[in-house]
Amino acid sequence: MRNFLFTAVVVLSTTISFAQTTTITVDNAGKLSSAINAEQKYKITSLKIKGELNGTDIILLREMAGIDQDNNPTDGKLSELDIAEAKIVEGGEAYLSDFNLNIDFFTANDEIGDRMFADCKQLISITIPQNTIAIGDSAFINCVNLTHLTLPASIKQIRTYAFANTAFTTFDYPSNVPLSEGLFDGCKNLNAFSLNSNHTVLPKKIFSGTNITNIVFPETLTEIGESAFEYCPLKSLTFPSTLKSIGNSAFRECNKLEQLKINDRLESIGYLAFSYCEMLESVFIPNSVTHLEGAFSNCKKLKTAHLPEGLTEISNSMFDRCDNLKTVNVPPMLKKIGDLAFQNNTKLESFPIPKHVTTIGKKAFSNCKSLSEIILPDEVTSIGKNCFEGCSNAETIILSKSLKEIPENAFSYCESITELEIVSGITKIDNKAFMYCEALEKLTLPESVISIGTIAFIGSMLKNIYNYATNPAECGKKAFGTDDDEEVPEGCKLYVPKGTKSKYETADIWSNFEIEEFNTTDISSNKSQNNDIKETARYNINGQKIQSKQRGINIIKMSDGHISKMSYPK
């Protein structure tokens, strides 16, 4: 063992041994390099320092631990650093320069500063000064081998992302120090953490990407922040009675989560909060929840869901791609169904749309292949593109009288409908609106329709079209076309009001039909006169099947495919 004694403006006592800990005492800040020459600094693996350290000294420590002032890798091998008896003081050079952000980082008294040891990939263990009061933003971020950190009792604050992407398996966190955003974000080895009664809020990304499989929430917790447990292998969750809010993506891609118990005082669940929880089979959301965003998309095994009874909106992507969702209750006060709300819910057999709904978003029920009927209450004023695309099992489509337009692809590939009545008031049927409704044989168009888009009805089996318009609607290319490149289905008859045949014979697209006139006041011309026609199904105004007539509006489906609405006095 060799001892080096330096006497100058600063006096350093140094004990150096590359087989064991090197101990250095620094009497004046900024002079650490006087005790460690260029050859030694890349060989020392274990170092203990006493005395004051400023920014200039931290530059050297970073270089020894594998990263320089400009964040470039070095050949440093320092893995163990003990500065418990040292003191961080202000002064000296910037220990780190971020050229992208144009920021220089300087030391402050008794603080492990922002990014002070960031990217020191060689560090395994560090003991920080006993008088440290704060650990800065991202102080140890990306210390990918750091497994041991000794904190003094003097710590009052630990700032955001301080330990992100480190290698801790457990962490003894000071009970009196508030938690900060992203503290353990990306700590893939962290498998346990104890929360206490001081923890009322779990900040954004605090445990995102960790290996925590179980967490016990204190009965003081009120809020779980955005992405707090994103990508964690949690298996079950029980929320405390005090919890009020769950943030966006809070438990996103917790793909081992099987059980979820939501407390009955919860008020808000954020967007994608439980999305991609692929093992979750059921969820019960209590009536206390008033703010519920698209929380359960891509929960592939979800079979049943209970929504709050007072819910007025099913937001965008609520159950998007929940392939096995079969049963979900219908909140009676619902007014809006958002984009992609039930997209690809291929097992969903029924969702009677309540009478107060006014808006249904794009792709809301796209590819709900098991839906047997689509009944839009008369308060529905707007439906989005591809809204019911691919509802291949739906035999009944009843449109709202408040609709003005049927958007692009709204009912394309509804392969089981045989008869369709476009209700009066609709003026536009957009491109591809009923494309490849392959079983469609009978179509009724009201006088109000003035525009039918390109390939709006292509691929149907139309045999009869009853058109009540006295003036032919403008039709896009192959509006009624076939896969054989014909303009209209072979043998399809077009019935038009008396006195208008000549107009249709000279109109684009319409002229390709076999045209006959009919008396629009003679309803028998548009309905079968077969005495064997019987009622096959009856629904209330909410689309729910009923066994006999009820007070109010009843929707009746007959054996010839005709659908009518009847009102019974209350």
Side-chain angles (χ1 to χ4, degrees):
M1 182 178 296
R2 296 182 296 169
N3 295 324
F4 298 86
L5 180 62
F6 297 84
T7 305
V9 178
V10 58
V11 178
L12 304 102
S13 172
T14 309
T15 303
I16 299 178
S17 172
F18 300 127
Q20 49 189 312
T21 301
T22 299
T23 301
I24 297 175
T25 298
V26 181
D27 290 337
N28 286 338
K31 299 299 181 177
L32 179 60
S33 61
S34 299
I36 303 173
N37 62 38
E39 180 183 355
Q40 295 164 343
K41 74 176 182 179
Y42 290 148
K43 294 180 179 179
I44 296 174
T45 59
S46 179
L47 179 63
K48 180 174 182 178
I49 301 175
K50 302 177 183 180
E52 295 186 346
L53 302 172
N54 65 14
T56 304
D57 302 315
I58 300 300
I59 292 173
L60 178 57
L61 291 178
R62 285 174 55 82
E63 290 176 347
M64 295 176 70
I67 200 80
D68 70 10
Q69 182 184 19
D70 299 327
N71 231 40
N72 298 311
T74 71
D75 294 328
K77 297 177 174 60
L78 182 64
S79 60
E80 298 179 16
L81 177 60
D82 182 351
I83 50 176
E85 297 180 53
K87 177 179 174 63
I88 306 293
V89 297
E90 63 181 15
E93 300 177 63
Y95 57 81
L96 174 64
S97 295
D98 189 323
F99 296 111
N100 292 325
L101 299 176
N102 196 26
I103 296 176
D104 289 330
F105 295 86
F106 295 89
T107 53
N109 290 336
D110 298 325
E111 288 194 12
I112 301 295
D114 296 349
R115 300 188 65 86
M116 182 170 281
F117 293 98
D119 300 293
C120 290
K121 293 180 169 55
Q122 297 300 322
L123 279 181
I124 296 174
S125 173
I126 184 167
T127 303
I128 66 175
Q130 295 174 356
N131 55 0
T132 302
I133 59 173
I135 296 177
D137 296 327
S138 303
F140 297 94
I141 194 170
N142 296 331
C143 292
V144 294
N145 290 301
L146 185 62
T147 58
H148 293 85
L149 174 66
T150 304
L151 298 176
S154 57
I155 288 285
K156 302 298 181 186
Q157 184 183 43
I158 301 176
R159 295 196 283 269
T160 64
Y161 295 89
F163 311 117
N165 292 325
T166 53
F168 298 113
T169 56
T170 60
F171 199 96
D172 187 13
Y173 196 86
S175 62
N176 61 329
V177 177
L179 299 169
S180 297
E181 178 181 325
L183 272 184
F184 299 97
D185 179 36
C187 294
K188 298 178 181 179
N189 297 325
L190 187 68
N191 53 44
F193 192 91
S194 296
L195 299 172
N196 61 59
S197 60
N198 291 324
H199 299 144
T200 59
V201 175
L202 295 183
K204 177 180 177 179
K205 280 186 167 291
I206 183 168
F207 299 114
S208 176
T210 65
N211 196 38
I212 294 174
T213 59
N214 181 58
I215 192 80
V216 178
F217 298 111
E219 278 294 330
T220 52
L221 187 67
T222 61
E223 180 182 344
I224 298 175
E226 180 179 339
S227 300
F229 291 90
E230 191 173 20
Y231 309 119
C232 291
L234 292 161
K235 295 181 179 180
S236 66
L237 287 171
T238 300
F239 295 128
S241 61
T242 51
L243 189 64
K244 298 292 184 183
S245 173
I246 298 173
N248 297 346
S249 300
F251 297 93
R252 183 175 183 265
E253 290 198 47
C254 292
N255 53 24
K256 293 187 178 181
L257 184 64
E258 297 179 354
Q259 295 184 353
L260 176 61
K261 294 181 180 179
I262 300 176
N263 60 304
D264 59 9
R265 294 181 184 177
L266 188 68
E267 298 173 357
S268 175
I269 301 177
Y271 185 60
L272 302 179
F274 297 95
S275 65
Y276 292 93
C277 291
E278 297 182 348
M279 301 300 290
L280 194 63
E281 293 191 6
S282 66
V283 60
F284 185 97
I285 305 169
N287 291 336
S288 58
V289 174
T290 56
H291 178 81
L292 178 61
E293 296 193 52
F296 297 96
S297 64
N298 290 280
C299 292
K300 298 296 187 182
K301 289 192 175 182
L302 189 66
K303 296 178 181 178
T304 62
H306 179 88
L307 297 171
E309 291 296 323
L311 198 67
T312 59
E313 177 181 350
I314 295 178
S315 64
N316 296 349
S317 302
M318 179 67 75
F319 297 106
D320 180 22
R321 293 182 176 88
C322 292
D323 301 343
N324 284 289
L325 184 63
K326 188 173 183 179
T327 304
V328 58
N329 67 311
V330 183
M333 303 308 294
L334 203 61
K335 295 182 179 179
K336 181 180 179 180
I337 300 173
D339 299 345
L340 309 169
F342 295 95
Q343 180 184 222
N344 278 29
N345 288 192
T346 56
K347 300 290 180 64
L348 186 66
E349 295 178 352
S350 176
F351 191 88
I353 299 171
K355 62 182 179 181
H356 298 296
V357 170
T358 61
T359 304
I360 303 174
K362 65 183 181 182
K363 293 191 174 183
F365 292 91
S366 176
N367 289 321
C368 290
K369 297 181 183 295
S370 296
L371 280 181
S372 59
E373 63 226 2
I374 300 167
I375 300 175
L376 304 182
D378 285 340
E379 288 192 31
V380 174
T381 59
S382 172
I383 61 176
K385 292 181 179 181
N386 304 82
C387 188
F388 294 95
E389 173 192 20
C391 294
S392 55
N393 197 49
E395 297 180 355
T396 301
I397 295 177
I398 300 176
L399 301 174
S400 164
K401 291 180 179 178
S402 299
L403 282 176
K404 300 300 181 185
E405 177 180 342
I406 300 176
E408 186 173 313
N409 270 312
F411 297 94
S412 59
Y413 297 96
C414 289
E415 298 168 352
S416 296
I417 59 167
T418 58
E419 178 177 342
L420 176 66
E421 179 179 354
I422 307 298
V423 296
S424 181
I426 290 175
T427 60
K428 180 179 180 181
I429 300 172
D430 210 341
N431 302 339
K432 308 175 187 177
F434 294 92
M435 179 174 69
Y436 291 108
C437 293
E438 295 176 349
L440 182 61
E441 296 183 354
K442 180 180 177 182
L443 172 65
T444 302
L445 297 170
E447 186 174 2
S448 57
V449 172
I450 59 175
S451 174
I452 300 175
T454 300
I455 59 174
F457 291 93
I458 193 172
S460 71
M461 298 291 291
L462 278 168
K463 296 179 179 178
N464 296 289
I465 300 176
Y466 292 86
N467 192 338
Y468 283 75
T470 55
N471 293 306
E474 182 179 347
C475 291
K477 185 178 180 180
K478 294 192 182 298
F480 299 93
T482 70
D483 286 336
D484 298 327
D485 210 29
E486 299 294 333
E487 289 291 343
V488 300
E490 184 179 358
C492 181
K493 290 186 177 181
L494 173 65
Y495 297 90
V496 299
K498 279 191 174 181
T500 64
K501 182 177 180 180
S502 60
K503 294 182 182 179
Y504 281 89
E505 287 178 332
T506 58
D508 287 344
I509 304 298
W510 300 109
S511 60
N512 295 286
F513 287 100
E514 298 179 19
I515 303 173
E516 294 184 18
E517 292 186 341
F518 74 109
N519 186 350
T520 57
T521 60
D522 181 7
I523 60 173
S524 64
S525 62
N526 196 20
K527 296 177 176 63
S528 173
Q529 299 299 304
N530 191 331
N531 292 328
D532 294 332
I533 296 173
K534 297 179 181 179
E535 177 181 324
T536 58
R538 182 180 290 254
Y539 308 87
N540 63 19
I541 193 62
N542 291 326
Q544 297 168 320
K545 187 173 285 188
I546 54 180
Q547 299 303 315
S548 59
K549 69 181 181 180
Q550 292 184 357
R551 292 178 179 179
I553 301 296
N554 287 202
I555 300 167
I556 304 167
K557 182 178 179 181
M558 307 303 290
S559 58
D560 68 342
H562 178 69
I563 299 168
S564 62
K565 294 183 180 180
M566 299 290 292
S567 180
Y568 296 95
K570 295 184 178 181

